[in-house]
Amino acid sequence: MPKDKCSEDEKDLLHWYKSLSPLRVDIVGDFAGKELFAIHGDSLMLHCVTNARVDYTNGFQLLHAIFAVENFLQNLRRRGCNFHVVWFTDHEELCVPRDVSDALASGYRLTRAILIKHLKQDTGSTDPAERSISLQFESIQSYEFQEYLTQNAIHFFLSLDGQGIDTHSAANEIRYLKFVYYLAHKGYNLAIINNLEFVSSKVHASVCSPSLSGAPVQLEEIPRTPRIPVELICKWEVRQGTSLLDDSPWEDGEPFSSRDIVSLTGLSNTLLIDCRKSTKDCVVAFVIHLSVLRRLDLSQRSCKETTLSELQQSSFEDFFASFSNICTTIVEKVSFKELWDIFDLVDGRILRQILGCLQMSRYETHVD
């Protein structure tokens, strides 16, 4: 991600940022109690996957990422916290760390799309704190979000603060800083997620008071990654005059789950865009990998990182970037009635190992 020198306005923001004197408090016992607060979704995701050291490079570990976020939220719930997780459509790029390649960035965006839907799942609990807590808005300045603020007494916002900002900061860090300044200028307390700690029954965090002085910040619209048009299975069924999902593809006869539907739709659309042999190899490996995920318990899925050749790695990155972007669109567009298991859509290490084995087997057959 390119680093740009700060403008004068951004230098003023930086000065404001450095002038803050946050207090270290227990946000449960000393500050908010059971009052409602809002967690910035992209801050939550980026903080959790970074702290948990989720592998996005040598084996996309989606389930680990989802667990890291769930574990963080569960730690808040155990201590009696009452919160919503709020996402903004135009903040999508804020979930991507700096200096990440396009291929890896697609994995972060897919994780984000799945997390938004995953946290909206109805747990069936009678406890309001255990119900859907994920809310999505077009932007922080949208009418819907302003209505949300009017109708809900938000005690404070929990967010990243643009830590590491200097005069050569990456664009996303500046955007985080503008976000927290905007909230502070609106009169909200800010708790910083960067250094939040769970200690016994307490939740320690640095809290900044509202900052009502100073000029309002101009929040520019953050461009989203263009979506790839997707052909959904339901449209194919209409054209074919049949139901493709009536018959189970699995030996045990289990019906399609949401993971199966996203995978089938994603792989089909990937092949519509790119039908090179290398892409077909990746598709075959992915289908085998799906079968492995269904058959093995989580405790049986541990495997070492697989090193692919330079050519294999390039082909895999092309496939995964395209497939991830397509799946992001599918997850966003489709309302799933099937078994919800998209949180375990991909195990990158198993997928890479299968792909490596397939290509090695083909090489040995060719040599023989």
PDB file of all heavy atoms in Angstrom, residues 305-337:
ATOM      1  N   GLU A 305       2.597 -26.353   6.547  1.00  0.00           N
ATOM      2  CA  GLU A 305       2.510 -25.466   5.393  1.00  0.00           C
ATOM      3  C   GLU A 305       3.125 -26.152   4.175  1.00  0.00           C
ATOM      4  O   GLU A 305       4.120 -26.868   4.284  1.00  0.00           O
ATOM      5  CB  GLU A 305       3.247 -24.154   5.670  1.00  0.00           C
ATOM      6  CG  GLU A 305       2.627 -23.322   6.777  1.00  0.00           C
ATOM      7  CD  GLU A 305       3.403 -22.045   7.037  1.00  0.00           C
ATOM      8  OE1 GLU A 305       4.377 -21.785   6.290  1.00  0.00           O
ATOM      9  OE2 GLU A 305       3.050 -21.320   7.978  1.00  0.00           O
ATOM     10  N   THR A 306       2.503 -25.952   3.034  1.00  0.00           N
ATOM     11  CA  THR A 306       2.989 -26.537   1.787  1.00  0.00           C
ATOM     12  C   THR A 306       3.639 -25.456   0.936  1.00  0.00           C
ATOM     13  O   THR A 306       3.026 -24.421   0.667  1.00  0.00           O
ATOM     14  CB  THR A 306       1.832 -27.176   0.999  1.00  0.00           C
ATOM     15  OG1 THR A 306       1.236 -28.203   1.796  1.00  0.00           O
ATOM     16  CG2 THR A 306       2.331 -27.770  -0.312  1.00  0.00           C
ATOM     17  N   THR A 307       4.871 -25.702   0.546  1.00  0.00           N
ATOM     18  CA  THR A 307       5.575 -24.754  -0.319  1.00  0.00           C
ATOM     19  C   THR A 307       5.332 -25.135  -1.772  1.00  0.00           C
ATOM     20  O   THR A 307       5.647 -26.251  -2.195  1.00  0.00           O
ATOM     21  CB  THR A 307       7.088 -24.764  -0.029  1.00  0.00           C
ATOM     22  OG1 THR A 307       7.302 -24.428   1.346  1.00  0.00           O
ATOM     23  CG2 THR A 307       7.808 -23.762  -0.916  1.00  0.00           C
ATOM     24  N   LEU A 308       4.742 -24.228  -2.515  1.00  0.00           N
ATOM     25  CA  LEU A 308       4.490 -24.455  -3.933  1.00  0.00           C
ATOM     26  C   LEU A 308       5.620 -23.843  -4.753  1.00  0.00           C
ATOM     27  O   LEU A 308       6.305 -22.923  -4.295  1.00  0.00           O
ATOM     28  CB  LEU A 308       3.154 -23.824  -4.341  1.00  0.00           C
ATOM     29  CG  LEU A 308       1.904 -24.310  -3.592  1.00  0.00           C
ATOM     30  CD1 LEU A 308       0.683 -23.507  -4.037  1.00  0.00           C
ATOM     31  CD2 LEU A 308       1.665 -25.794  -3.820  1.00  0.00           C
ATOM     32  N   SER A 309       5.804 -24.360  -5.953  1.00  0.00           N
ATOM     33  CA  SER A 309       6.796 -23.761  -6.843  1.00  0.00           C
ATOM     34  C   SER A 309       6.350 -22.348  -7.204  1.00  0.00           C
ATOM     35  O   SER A 309       5.192 -21.967  -6.989  1.00  0.00           O
ATOM     36  CB  SER A 309       6.947 -24.599  -8.115  1.00  0.00           C
ATOM     37  OG  SER A 309       5.771 -24.498  -8.910  1.00  0.00           O
ATOM     38  N   GLU A 310       7.249 -21.573  -7.747  1.00  0.00           N
ATOM     39  CA  GLU A 310       6.919 -20.186  -8.096  1.00  0.00           C
ATOM     40  C   GLU A 310       5.750 -20.126  -9.070  1.00  0.00           C
ATOM     41  O   GLU A 310       4.842 -19.297  -8.929  1.00  0.00           O
ATOM     42  CB  GLU A 310       8.151 -19.505  -8.698  1.00  0.00           C
ATOM     43  CG  GLU A 310       7.965 -18.013  -8.934  1.00  0.00           C
ATOM     44  CD  GLU A 310       9.238 -17.329  -9.398  1.00  0.00           C
ATOM     45  OE1 GLU A 310      10.337 -17.883  -9.167  1.00  0.00           O
ATOM     46  OE2 GLU A 310       9.127 -16.238  -9.999  1.00  0.00           O
ATOM     47  N   LEU A 311       5.742 -21.031 -10.052  1.00  0.00           N
ATOM     48  CA  LEU A 311       4.656 -21.064 -11.029  1.00  0.00           C
ATOM     49  C   LEU A 311       3.350 -21.509 -10.374  1.00  0.00           C
ATOM     50  O   LEU A 311       2.285 -20.930 -10.624  1.00  0.00           O
ATOM     51  CB  LEU A 311       5.014 -22.009 -12.180  1.00  0.00           C
ATOM     52  CG  LEU A 311       3.981 -22.131 -13.308  1.00  0.00           C
ATOM     53  CD1 LEU A 311       3.735 -20.763 -13.952  1.00  0.00           C
ATOM     54  CD2 LEU A 311       4.449 -23.143 -14.353  1.00  0.00           C
ATOM     55  N   GLN A 312       3.428 -22.543  -9.525  1.00  0.00           N
ATOM     56  CA  GLN A 312       2.241 -23.016  -8.816  1.00  0.00           C
ATOM     57  C   GLN A 312       1.672 -21.924  -7.908  1.00  0.00           C
ATOM     58  O   GLN A 312       0.455 -21.724  -7.842  1.00  0.00           O
ATOM     59  CB  GLN A 312       2.589 -24.252  -7.981  1.00  0.00           C
ATOM     60  CG  GLN A 312       2.890 -25.501  -8.783  1.00  0.00           C
ATOM     61  CD  GLN A 312       3.440 -26.614  -7.894  1.00  0.00           C
ATOM     62  OE1 GLN A 312       3.940 -26.368  -6.798  1.00  0.00           O
ATOM     63  NE2 GLN A 312       3.348 -27.840  -8.379  1.00  0.00           N
ATOM     64  N   GLN A 313       2.570 -21.226  -7.218  1.00  0.00           N
ATOM     65  CA  GLN A 313       2.141 -20.170  -6.305  1.00  0.00           C
ATOM     66  C   GLN A 313       1.427 -19.059  -7.063  1.00  0.00           C
ATOM     67  O   GLN A 313       0.381 -18.563  -6.626  1.00  0.00           O
ATOM     68  CB  GLN A 313       3.351 -19.605  -5.555  1.00  0.00           C
ATOM     69  CG  GLN A 313       3.026 -18.499  -4.561  1.00  0.00           C
ATOM     70  CD  GLN A 313       2.201 -18.985  -3.379  1.00  0.00           C
ATOM     71  OE1 GLN A 313       2.240 -20.160  -3.019  1.00  0.00           O
ATOM     72  NE2 GLN A 313       1.442 -18.078  -2.783  1.00  0.00           N
ATOM     73  N   SER A 314       1.968 -18.683  -8.206  1.00  0.00           N
ATOM     74  CA  SER A 314       1.355 -17.635  -9.012  1.00  0.00           C
ATOM     75  C   SER A 314      -0.035 -18.054  -9.490  1.00  0.00           C
ATOM     76  O   SER A 314      -0.992 -17.271  -9.426  1.00  0.00           O
ATOM     77  CB  SER A 314       2.253 -17.307 -10.208  1.00  0.00           C
ATOM     78  OG  SER A 314       1.650 -16.350 -11.044  1.00  0.00           O
ATOM     79  N   SER A 315      -0.146 -19.300  -9.955  1.00  0.00           N
ATOM     80  CA  SER A 315      -1.439 -19.807 -10.428  1.00  0.00           C
ATOM     81  C   SER A 315      -2.446 -19.877  -9.290  1.00  0.00           C
ATOM     82  O   SER A 315      -3.623 -19.521  -9.452  1.00  0.00           O
ATOM     83  CB  SER A 315      -1.268 -21.197 -11.051  1.00  0.00           C
ATOM     84  OG  SER A 315      -0.420 -21.156 -12.172  1.00  0.00           O
ATOM     85  N   PHE A 316      -1.973 -20.325  -8.124  1.00  0.00           N
ATOM     86  CA  PHE A 316      -2.865 -20.435  -6.968  1.00  0.00           C
ATOM     87  C   PHE A 316      -3.348 -19.057  -6.528  1.00  0.00           C
ATOM     88  O   PHE A 316      -4.528 -18.875  -6.199  1.00  0.00           O
ATOM     89  CB  PHE A 316      -2.147 -21.137  -5.817  1.00  0.00           C
ATOM     90  CG  PHE A 316      -2.989 -21.260  -4.577  1.00  0.00           C
ATOM     91  CD1 PHE A 316      -3.989 -22.218  -4.497  1.00  0.00           C
ATOM     92  CD2 PHE A 316      -2.797 -20.404  -3.502  1.00  0.00           C
ATOM     93  CE1 PHE A 316      -4.782 -22.328  -3.358  1.00  0.00           C
ATOM     94  CE2 PHE A 316      -3.581 -20.504  -2.362  1.00  0.00           C
ATOM     95  CZ  PHE A 316      -4.575 -21.472  -2.287  1.00  0.00           C
ATOM     96  N   GLU A 317      -2.461 -18.077  -6.509  1.00  0.00           N
ATOM     97  CA  GLU A 317      -2.850 -16.724  -6.103  1.00  0.00           C
ATOM     98  C   GLU A 317      -3.874 -16.136  -7.063  1.00  0.00           C
ATOM     99  O   GLU A 317      -4.826 -15.473  -6.636  1.00  0.00           O
ATOM    100  CB  GLU A 317      -1.614 -15.827  -6.014  1.00  0.00           C
ATOM    101  CG  GLU A 317      -0.727 -16.131  -4.818  1.00  0.00           C
ATOM    102  CD  GLU A 317       0.483 -15.210  -4.737  1.00  0.00           C
ATOM    103  OE1 GLU A 317       0.626 -14.340  -5.634  1.00  0.00           O
ATOM    104  OE2 GLU A 317       1.275 -15.349  -3.788  1.00  0.00           O
ATOM    105  N   ASP A 318      -3.688 -16.382  -8.364  1.00  0.00           N
ATOM    106  CA  ASP A 318      -4.666 -15.899  -9.349  1.00  0.00           C
ATOM    107  C   ASP A 318      -6.029 -16.535  -9.098  1.00  0.00           C
ATOM    108  O   ASP A 318      -7.063 -15.853  -9.108  1.00  0.00           O
ATOM    109  CB  ASP A 318      -4.201 -16.230 -10.772  1.00  0.00           C
ATOM    110  CG  ASP A 318      -3.021 -15.383 -11.215  1.00  0.00           C
ATOM    111  OD1 ASP A 318      -2.739 -14.368 -10.548  1.00  0.00           O
ATOM    112  OD2 ASP A 318      -2.373 -15.747 -12.213  1.00  0.00           O
ATOM    113  N   PHE A 319      -6.027 -17.849  -8.889  1.00  0.00           N
ATOM    114  CA  PHE A 319      -7.278 -18.559  -8.622  1.00  0.00           C
ATOM    115  C   PHE A 319      -7.931 -18.048  -7.345  1.00  0.00           C
ATOM    116  O   PHE A 319      -9.128 -17.736  -7.325  1.00  0.00           O
ATOM    117  CB  PHE A 319      -7.021 -20.066  -8.496  1.00  0.00           C
ATOM    118  CG  PHE A 319      -8.130 -20.811  -7.796  1.00  0.00           C
ATOM    119  CD1 PHE A 319      -9.307 -21.123  -8.459  1.00  0.00           C
ATOM    120  CD2 PHE A 319      -7.997 -21.178  -6.458  1.00  0.00           C
ATOM    121  CE1 PHE A 319     -10.343 -21.795  -7.805  1.00  0.00           C
ATOM    122  CE2 PHE A 319      -9.019 -21.849  -5.796  1.00  0.00           C
ATOM    123  CZ  PHE A 319     -10.194 -22.157  -6.472  1.00  0.00           C
ATOM    124  N   PHE A 320      -7.143 -17.954  -6.280  1.00  0.00           N
ATOM    125  CA  PHE A 320      -7.726 -17.612  -4.984  1.00  0.00           C
ATOM    126  C   PHE A 320      -8.254 -16.181  -4.965  1.00  0.00           C
ATOM    127  O   PHE A 320      -9.297 -15.904  -4.365  1.00  0.00           O
ATOM    128  CB  PHE A 320      -6.703 -17.805  -3.861  1.00  0.00           C
ATOM    129  CG  PHE A 320      -7.301 -17.653  -2.495  1.00  0.00           C
ATOM    130  CD1 PHE A 320      -8.103 -18.654  -1.970  1.00  0.00           C
ATOM    131  CD2 PHE A 320      -7.093 -16.503  -1.748  1.00  0.00           C
ATOM    132  CE1 PHE A 320      -8.682 -18.514  -0.713  1.00  0.00           C
ATOM    133  CE2 PHE A 320      -7.667 -16.355  -0.500  1.00  0.00           C
ATOM    134  CZ  PHE A 320      -8.461 -17.369   0.024  1.00  0.00           C
ATOM    135  N   ALA A 321      -7.553 -15.264  -5.622  1.00  0.00           N
ATOM    136  CA  ALA A 321      -8.029 -13.878  -5.675  1.00  0.00           C
ATOM    137  C   ALA A 321      -9.373 -13.808  -6.391  1.00  0.00           C
ATOM    138  O   ALA A 321     -10.316 -13.154  -5.923  1.00  0.00           O
ATOM    139  CB  ALA A 321      -6.999 -12.998  -6.373  1.00  0.00           C
ATOM    140  N   SER A 322      -9.472 -14.492  -7.528  1.00  0.00           N
ATOM    141  CA  SER A 322     -10.722 -14.489  -8.291  1.00  0.00           C
ATOM    142  C   SER A 322     -11.836 -15.188  -7.517  1.00  0.00           C
ATOM    143  O   SER A 322     -12.949 -14.661  -7.377  1.00  0.00           O
ATOM    144  CB  SER A 322     -10.504 -15.183  -9.640  1.00  0.00           C
ATOM    145  OG  SER A 322     -11.696 -15.224 -10.389  1.00  0.00           O
ATOM    146  N   PHE A 323     -11.539 -16.365  -6.989  1.00  0.00           N
ATOM    147  CA  PHE A 323     -12.534 -17.144  -6.244  1.00  0.00           C
ATOM    148  C   PHE A 323     -13.011 -16.380  -5.006  1.00  0.00           C
ATOM    149  O   PHE A 323     -14.214 -16.325  -4.724  1.00  0.00           O
ATOM    150  CB  PHE A 323     -11.923 -18.488  -5.845  1.00  0.00           C
ATOM    151  CG  PHE A 323     -12.814 -19.347  -4.995  1.00  0.00           C
ATOM    152  CD1 PHE A 323     -13.900 -20.006  -5.549  1.00  0.00           C
ATOM    153  CD2 PHE A 323     -12.564 -19.501  -3.640  1.00  0.00           C
ATOM    154  CE1 PHE A 323     -14.733 -20.805  -4.765  1.00  0.00           C
ATOM    155  CE2 PHE A 323     -13.379 -20.292  -2.847  1.00  0.00           C
ATOM    156  CZ  PHE A 323     -14.468 -20.947  -3.411  1.00  0.00           C
ATOM    157  N   SER A 324     -12.099 -15.773  -4.273  1.00  0.00           N
ATOM    158  CA  SER A 324     -12.465 -15.038  -3.054  1.00  0.00           C
ATOM    159  C   SER A 324     -13.346 -13.842  -3.373  1.00  0.00           C
ATOM    160  O   SER A 324     -14.337 -13.573  -2.676  1.00  0.00           O
ATOM    161  CB  SER A 324     -11.209 -14.566  -2.314  1.00  0.00           C
ATOM    162  OG  SER A 324     -10.444 -15.652  -1.875  1.00  0.00           O
ATOM    163  N   ASN A 325     -12.989 -13.106  -4.420  1.00  0.00           N
ATOM    164  CA  ASN A 325     -13.796 -11.946  -4.799  1.00  0.00           C
ATOM    165  C   ASN A 325     -15.201 -12.363  -5.219  1.00  0.00           C
ATOM    166  O   ASN A 325     -16.193 -11.703  -4.883  1.00  0.00           O
ATOM    167  CB  ASN A 325     -13.113 -11.172  -5.928  1.00  0.00           C
ATOM    168  CG  ASN A 325     -11.899 -10.395  -5.450  1.00  0.00           C
ATOM    169  OD1 ASN A 325     -11.841  -9.969  -4.296  1.00  0.00           O
ATOM    170  ND2 ASN A 325     -10.918 -10.211  -6.316  1.00  0.00           N
ATOM    171  N   ILE A 326     -15.290 -13.466  -5.952  1.00  0.00           N
ATOM    172  CA  ILE A 326     -16.600 -13.972  -6.374  1.00  0.00           C
ATOM    173  C   ILE A 326     -17.411 -14.427  -5.162  1.00  0.00           C
ATOM    174  O   ILE A 326     -18.602 -14.114  -5.031  1.00  0.00           O
ATOM    175  CB  ILE A 326     -16.426 -15.125  -7.384  1.00  0.00           C
ATOM    176  CG1 ILE A 326     -15.922 -14.574  -8.721  1.00  0.00           C
ATOM    177  CG2 ILE A 326     -17.731 -15.888  -7.587  1.00  0.00           C
ATOM    178  CD1 ILE A 326     -15.471 -15.632  -9.701  1.00  0.00           C
ATOM    179  N   CYS A 327     -16.774 -15.155  -4.259  1.00  0.00           N
ATOM    180  CA  CYS A 327     -17.475 -15.639  -3.065  1.00  0.00           C
ATOM    181  C   CYS A 327     -17.934 -14.488  -2.171  1.00  0.00           C
ATOM    182  O   CYS A 327     -18.987 -14.569  -1.534  1.00  0.00           O
ATOM    183  CB  CYS A 327     -16.583 -16.594  -2.272  1.00  0.00           C
ATOM    184  SG  CYS A 327     -16.386 -18.213  -3.047  1.00  0.00           S
ATOM    185  N   THR A 328     -17.151 -13.417  -2.135  1.00  0.00           N
ATOM    186  CA  THR A 328     -17.564 -12.234  -1.374  1.00  0.00           C
ATOM    187  C   THR A 328     -18.886 -11.701  -1.910  1.00  0.00           C
ATOM    188  O   THR A 328     -19.810 -11.385  -1.146  1.00  0.00           O
ATOM    189  CB  THR A 328     -16.479 -11.144  -1.451  1.00  0.00           C
ATOM    190  OG1 THR A 328     -15.269 -11.634  -0.862  1.00  0.00           O
ATOM    191  CG2 THR A 328     -16.916  -9.885  -0.709  1.00  0.00           C
ATOM    192  N   THR A 329     -18.998 -11.618  -3.229  1.00  0.00           N
ATOM    193  CA  THR A 329     -20.241 -11.163  -3.852  1.00  0.00           C
ATOM    194  C   THR A 329     -21.394 -12.102  -3.521  1.00  0.00           C
ATOM    195  O   THR A 329     -22.502 -11.664  -3.195  1.00  0.00           O
ATOM    196  CB  THR A 329     -20.072 -11.074  -5.381  1.00  0.00           C
ATOM    197  OG1 THR A 329     -18.994 -10.196  -5.688  1.00  0.00           O
ATOM    198  CG2 THR A 329     -21.341 -10.564  -6.046  1.00  0.00           C
ATOM    199  N   ILE A 330     -21.142 -13.407  -3.585  1.00  0.00           N
ATOM    200  CA  ILE A 330     -22.191 -14.392  -3.309  1.00  0.00           C
ATOM    201  C   ILE A 330     -22.684 -14.265  -1.870  1.00  0.00           C
ATOM    202  O   ILE A 330     -23.891 -14.231  -1.608  1.00  0.00           O
ATOM    203  CB  ILE A 330     -21.667 -15.820  -3.567  1.00  0.00           C
ATOM    204  CG1 ILE A 330     -21.285 -15.994  -5.034  1.00  0.00           C
ATOM    205  CG2 ILE A 330     -22.713 -16.859  -3.172  1.00  0.00           C
ATOM    206  CD1 ILE A 330     -20.473 -17.243  -5.312  1.00  0.00           C
ATOM    207  N   VAL A 331     -21.753 -14.193  -0.938  1.00  0.00           N
ATOM    208  CA  VAL A 331     -22.127 -14.089   0.479  1.00  0.00           C
ATOM    209  C   VAL A 331     -22.946 -12.826   0.723  1.00  0.00           C
ATOM    210  O   VAL A 331     -23.925 -12.837   1.484  1.00  0.00           O
ATOM    211  CB  VAL A 331     -20.864 -14.103   1.371  1.00  0.00           C
ATOM    212  CG1 VAL A 331     -21.222 -13.781   2.823  1.00  0.00           C
ATOM    213  CG2 VAL A 331     -20.171 -15.459   1.293  1.00  0.00           C
ATOM    214  N   GLU A 332     -22.582 -11.739   0.065  1.00  0.00           N
ATOM    215  CA  GLU A 332     -23.305 -10.479   0.244  1.00  0.00           C
ATOM    216  C   GLU A 332     -24.703 -10.526  -0.364  1.00  0.00           C
ATOM    217  O   GLU A 332     -25.643  -9.933   0.176  1.00  0.00           O
ATOM    218  CB  GLU A 332     -22.511  -9.332  -0.391  1.00  0.00           C
ATOM    219  CG  GLU A 332     -21.230  -8.983   0.355  1.00  0.00           C
ATOM    220  CD  GLU A 332     -20.385  -7.959  -0.376  1.00  0.00           C
ATOM    221  OE1 GLU A 332     -20.581  -7.757  -1.596  1.00  0.00           O
ATOM    222  OE2 GLU A 332     -19.515  -7.347   0.271  1.00  0.00           O
ATOM    223  N   LYS A 333     -24.869 -11.239  -1.482  1.00  0.00           N
ATOM    224  CA  LYS A 333     -26.129 -11.195  -2.231  1.00  0.00           C
ATOM    225  C   LYS A 333     -27.163 -12.211  -1.763  1.00  0.00           C
ATOM    226  O   LYS A 333     -28.366 -11.971  -1.878  1.00  0.00           O
ATOM    227  CB  LYS A 333     -25.851 -11.425  -3.728  1.00  0.00           C
ATOM    228  CG  LYS A 333     -25.140 -10.280  -4.417  1.00  0.00           C
ATOM    229  CD  LYS A 333     -24.884 -10.589  -5.884  1.00  0.00           C
ATOM    230  CE  LYS A 333     -26.155 -10.692  -6.681  1.00  0.00           C
ATOM    231  NZ  LYS A 333     -25.902 -10.820  -8.138  1.00  0.00           N
ATOM    232  N   VAL A 334     -26.710 -13.356  -1.268  1.00  0.00           N
ATOM    233  CA  VAL A 334     -27.619 -14.477  -1.021  1.00  0.00           C
ATOM    234  C   VAL A 334     -28.085 -14.504   0.436  1.00  0.00           C
ATOM    235  O   VAL A 334     -27.292 -14.297   1.356  1.00  0.00           O
ATOM    236  CB  VAL A 334     -26.929 -15.811  -1.384  1.00  0.00           C
ATOM    237  CG1 VAL A 334     -27.830 -16.991  -1.044  1.00  0.00           C
ATOM    238  CG2 VAL A 334     -26.558 -15.836  -2.863  1.00  0.00           C
ATOM    239  N   SER A 335     -29.378 -14.766   0.619  1.00  0.00           N
ATOM    240  CA  SER A 335     -29.923 -15.026   1.957  1.00  0.00           C
ATOM    241  C   SER A 335     -30.008 -16.538   2.120  1.00  0.00           C
ATOM    242  O   SER A 335     -30.764 -17.205   1.404  1.00  0.00           O
ATOM    243  CB  SER A 335     -31.309 -14.396   2.106  1.00  0.00           C
ATOM    244  OG  SER A 335     -31.233 -12.992   1.985  1.00  0.00           O
ATOM    245  N   PHE A 336     -29.255 -17.077   3.038  1.00  0.00           N
ATOM    246  CA  PHE A 336     -29.114 -18.523   3.151  1.00  0.00           C
ATOM    247  C   PHE A 336     -30.141 -19.113   4.114  1.00  0.00           C
ATOM    248  O   PHE A 336     -30.289 -18.653   5.248  1.00  0.00           O
ATOM    249  CB  PHE A 336     -27.700 -18.880   3.624  1.00  0.00           C
ATOM    250  CG  PHE A 336     -26.623 -18.459   2.663  1.00  0.00           C
ATOM    251  CD1 PHE A 336     -25.953 -17.256   2.830  1.00  0.00           C
ATOM    252  CD2 PHE A 336     -26.295 -19.256   1.584  1.00  0.00           C
ATOM    253  CE1 PHE A 336     -24.972 -16.857   1.949  1.00  0.00           C
ATOM    254  CE2 PHE A 336     -25.314 -18.866   0.691  1.00  0.00           C
ATOM    255  CZ  PHE A 336     -24.649 -17.669   0.871  1.00  0.00           C
ATOM    256  N   LYS A 337     -30.841 -20.158   3.637  1.00  0.00           N
ATOM    257  CA  LYS A 337     -31.763 -20.911   4.482  1.00  0.00           C
ATOM    258  C   LYS A 337     -31.153 -22.260   4.877  1.00  0.00           C
ATOM    259  O   LYS A 337     -31.671 -22.946   5.741  1.00  0.00           O
ATOM    260  CB  LYS A 337     -33.081 -21.136   3.741  1.00  0.00           C
ATOM    261  CG  LYS A 337     -33.802 -19.844   3.367  1.00  0.00           C
ATOM    262  CD  LYS A 337     -35.077 -20.132   2.582  1.00  0.00           C
ATOM    263  CE  LYS A 337     -35.772 -18.836   2.177  1.00  0.00           C
ATOM    264  NZ  LYS A 337     -36.995 -19.100   1.360  1.00  0.00           N
TER     265      LYS A 337
END
